Amino acid sequence: MNDDQLLRYSRHILLDEVGIEGQQALLDAHVLIIGAGGLGSPAALYLAASGVGCITLVDHDTVDLTNLQRQIAHTTARVGQPKASSAAQAIHDLNPEVQVHCIQQRADAALLDALVAQATVVLDCCDNYRTRQAVNAACVRHRVPLVAGAIIRLDGQITVFDPRREDSPCYACLFAPEADFEEVQCSTMGVLAPLVGIIGCMQAAEALKLIANFGESLTGKLLILDGRSMEWSRMRTSRNPDCSICCNKK
């Protein structure tokens, strides 16, 4: 690290859990973020501020006026622009040292197979079930940790799936790929703006812990937030021995 970096990241370096080695790990890391919306916005900004050296943003959508209520990486002036490039501009304004790759297309299996293999950690910040399953499957194949967040209305959840660990479940262990799952979206159900910030920031924190190797991750634990009471519920999760994804059974 040069003198400017030592100063910029000094508050991290002062932490015993991070220090010089942990901060260098962040600078060397590559985080893949699927979705540059409500969850991806705060997650990307905090990862960039924290000094993650390379961030890849994947989002097929463009900035809409209705997004600005909660998607804080975007601005009124960038309505109509691709979300990935808009978020990249926000990252650059915050920390120009971060290398950002923008991919404006849907995260299908082929794309994920190429991108996940290059990532240190993956953040699932998308808003649909099919993509979540595809992201999970790619992370299992390449043994890359996945930080998954979701929110709708006044309810949020976050967990970590770490295929490097024998005891870790995957997303498909909790939510079967073949399930007939009814999609719910913010456009029809609504969402309380600050709650996406809470979950997105927690996703960033979990990613930093995984990269710098400190603390205890949320692997094997699902946190559920009730925004009405601001109360958290914690559920233990375990690997499904019949899972078609992480247990290699068809």
Side-chain angles (χ1 to χ4, degrees), residues 104-229:
Q104 189 188 1
Q105 66 180 83
R106 289 187 180 275
D108 60 19
L111 178 64
L112 288 167
D113 207 44
L115 295 179
V116 171
Q118 305 171 35
T120 310
V121 177
V122 177
L123 270 63
D124 177 1
C125 301
C126 73
D127 61 359
N128 70 87
Y129 191 63
R130 178 177 297 178
T131 301
R132 290 192 183 107
Q133 291 289 353
V135 172
N136 173 72
C139 287
V140 170
R141 282 195 301 274
H142 295 285
R143 295 176 60 83
V144 175
L146 171 62
V147 184
I151 190 161
I152 193 70
R153 296 179 63 83
L154 286 90
D155 301 295
Q157 65 183 40
I158 179 173
T159 188
V160 172
F161 304 110
D162 192 345
R164 301 171 303 177
R165 292 176 45 170
E166 293 297 326
D167 62 337
S168 173
C170 75
Y171 184 83
C173 290
L174 278 61
F175 307 100
E178 62 275 9
D180 184 14
F181 189 82
E182 182 181 356
E183 294 282 4
V184 290
Q185 297 182 341
C186 299
S187 59
T188 56
M189 300 294 288
V191 61
L192 185 65
L195 295 188
V196 295
I198 293 172
I199 300 299
C201 286
M202 291 183 69
Q203 287 183 268
E206 287 298 304
L208 296 178
K209 287 161 57 182
L210 289 164
I211 294 166
N213 192 29
F214 69 89
E216 181 181 347
S217 80
L218 287 175
T219 303
K221 297 177 282 289
L222 174 66
L223 297 187
I224 302 172
L225 173 62
D226 182 345
R228 302 158 190 81
S229 61

Side-chain angles (χ1 to χ4, degrees), residues 23-79:
Q23 187 61 50
Q24 188 61 58
L26 297 178
L27 291 167
D28 295 337
H30 181 179
V31 175
L32 172 62
I33 302 177
I34 309 299
L39 296 173
S41 288
L45 292 176
Y46 267 106
L47 290 171
S50 298
V52 169
C54 183
I55 296 175
T56 295
L57 299 167
V58 180
D59 198 305
H60 73 283
D61 206 358
T62 57
V63 180
D64 184 83
L65 187 62
T66 61
N67 301 148
L68 302 182
Q69 167 251 10
R70 64 200 178 280
Q71 299 182 16
I72 61 171
H74 312 303
T75 66
T76 303
R78 296 202 288 270
V79 168

